[in-house]
Amino acid sequence: MIKGKAIVMSGIRPTGFLHLGNYFGAIQNYVKLQESYTCYFMVADLHALTTHPDTKTLNDNVHRVLAENIACGIDPEKAALYCQSHVRETAELYLYLNMLAYLGELEKTTTFKEKARLQPDNINAGLLTYPVLQAADIILHRATWVPVGKDQEQHLEMARNYVKRFNHRYGEIFPEPMAYNFGEDLVKVPSLDGEGKMSKSENQLATLYLADTDELITKKVMKAKTDGGPTSPGMPKPDYIENIFQLMKLVCDQNAIDHFEEAYQNCNIRYGDLKKQLADDMVKFISPIREKAESIQNDKKYLSQVMEMGAIKANASAAETMSLVRAAMGLNY
Ligand code: TRP
């Protein structure tokens, strides 16, 4: 642990392909955080087992997620980029925290209820105690800041409860972890069908993935919903058109945006041209990331080195915390 710098920790589930929403909503901010904080970025392979028990696909997914994160700018020299299962003390802390977690609260967790509904034949105890494992990930490094999306806030609140209970019963070891809020930097990435945000699993044709080929990107963008265009000047944009302009702001230069904005106001906008511009700029943005991720992913030796380097940093911090924990609990006979 580098003294003096606040500690940031976050986890990435290796269960799907990263998309533009992950990039602008999370990874881009991690890349900034690694400059000024001590960062632990973890691939949550153990969490993945609660929903995806097949370890053959898991192995590929772990490599891909690591490669994609590095291609997006996470620097394994600056941040600790590691794999959850390489830090064995996570399991030990998870066990202790389980004694401080109550069945009633776990059953009420939104994500648990949702996953139980989605996989009624596999409502395993790991699924129930998912937030306990997540708390262990975070407090193992005595992290104070956790950059996560809104859907994770309940898990963080649970983590704070376990911290309070632990500190109260055994002594002040852990700071209370807080969601790191990006404020104005938090970018929403709308989906291409005008409904909601880009997402890992829902409507894959309306989501741009960092692994999409140029042809697929173009095809998806050109299929985005439009209409006959505005019929009188100053008409407000329908949601699906507003979304296209939102997406342009992420990747197009201002001149191009101004041009189409003006055309919209003058009621002579050609949506085919608008989408062509967006498609071209999306291709320009995504293709270098995709190519870089592909070459990293094929370099298994480099990826093992990255994981090893990350595990060394994460294990050092975990060992420090766990010796304090065992002493505080009186488990040091
Ligand atoms: N539950 C998180 C998600 O689904 C992933 C995660 C695992 C995590 N451990 C974490 C996030 C620790 C933040 C901190 O996205």
Side-chain angles (χ1 to χ4, degrees), residues 9-11 13 42 44 47 130 134 137-138 146 148 152 155:
M9 194 278 150
S10 198
R13 271 164 60 93
M42 178 197 85
H47 275 114
Y130 183 112
Q134 182 166 347
D137 295 331
I138 299 166
V146 187
V148 282
Q152 296 294 307
H155 292 175

Side-chain angles (χ1 to χ4, degrees), residues 17-294:
F17 287 77
L18 291 187
H19 53 75
L20 222 57
N22 298 127
Y23 179 86
F24 287 104
I27 306 174
Q28 189 193 42
N29 294 320
Y30 296 177
V31 172
K32 290 185 202 146
L33 291 173
Q34 70 184 357
E35 301 300 331
S36 23
Y37 295 94
T38 300
C39 290
Y40 294 90
F41 297 133
M42 178 197 85
V43 179
D45 60 340
L46 301 177
H47 275 114
L49 292 175
T50 63
T51 49
H52 296 64
D54 175 6
T55 49
K56 277 196 290 302
T57 37
L58 182 61
N59 190 295
D60 276 350
N61 284 344
V62 166
H63 285 110
R64 199 193 52 247
V65 160
L66 277 169
E68 286 181 332
N69 275 278
I70 298 168
C72 290
I74 301 272
D75 182 347
E77 304 277 342
K78 290 183 183 153
L81 180 60
Y82 66 101
C83 198
Q84 189 177 28
S85 59
H86 290 166
V87 184
R88 311 281 164 148
E89 278 157 318
T90 308
E92 184 187 349
L93 185 55
Y94 168 56
L95 179 83
Y96 300 151
L97 294 183
N98 269 318
M99 295 6 153
L100 302 169
Y102 301 114
L103 181 61
E105 328 173 294
L106 292 168
E107 282 174 333
K108 274 196 306 196
T109 314
T110 311
T111 50
F112 170 69
K113 289 195 289 194
E114 184 158 326
K115 286 173 190 163
R117 191 173 54 80
L118 290 173
Q119 53 182 65
D121 297 328
N122 182 20
I123 308 179
N124 58 79
L127 204 57
L128 181 70
T129 55
Y130 183 112
V132 187
L133 182 56
Q134 182 166 347
D137 295 331
I138 299 166
I139 72 176
L140 193 57
H141 305 298
R142 283 168 286 159
T144 42
W145 296 115
V146 187
V148 282
K150 271 237 165 299
D151 64 322
Q152 296 294 307
E153 268 169 19
Q154 191 179 27
H155 292 175
L156 274 190
E157 192 185 324
M158 294 168 86
R160 285 194 291 277
N161 286 334
Y162 306 144
V163 162
K164 283 184 207 144
R165 286 173 203 161
F166 185 98
N167 287 350
H168 179 70
R169 192 165 299 173
Y170 300 115
E172 291 282 327
I173 303 290
F174 300 113
E176 288 181 26
M178 304 291 293
Y180 188 96
N181 192 333
F182 291 104
E184 288 176 8
D185 289 345
L186 194 61
V187 188
K188 287 215 178 75
V189 181
S191 72
L192 287 163
D193 59 5
E195 292 181 30
K197 297 184 299 176
M198 288 198 183
S199 122
K200 263 190 192 168
S201 42
E202 286 155 42
N203 202 355
Q204 309 206 338
L205 275 179
T207 296
L208 296 172
Y209 295 91
L210 299 178
D212 283 349
T213 60
D214 294 354
E215 294 70 37
L216 192 53
I217 296 168
T218 307
K219 188 174 142 203
K220 287 180 180 178
V221 173
M222 295 313 288
K223 275 182 99 118
K225 178 177 173 184
T226 52
D227 53 28
T231 46
S232 59
M235 253 173 81
K237 299 189 186 87
D239 285 353
Y240 46 91
I241 300 295
E242 182 57 43
N243 285 352
I244 296 180
F245 276 91
Q246 284 292 330
L247 290 167
M248 288 189 87
K249 281 195 201 141
L250 302 173
V251 295
C252 299
D253 58 56
Q254 194 58 44
N255 283 341
I257 300 173
D258 291 346
H259 165 78
F260 286 105
E261 187 64 52
E262 205 182 296
Y264 184 90
Q265 296 308 334
N266 295 335
C267 303
N268 59 6
I269 187 161
R270 289 158 56 153
Y271 285 138
D273 295 348
L274 174 81
K275 290 195 278 188
K276 180 79 176 53
Q277 178 82 49
L278 179 62
D280 289 350
D281 289 329
M282 279 295 176
V283 165
K284 268 191 216 140
F285 181 82
I286 292 175
S287 62
I289 300 179
R290 180 191 65 230
E291 281 160 18
K292 195 161 174 210
E294 273 168 10

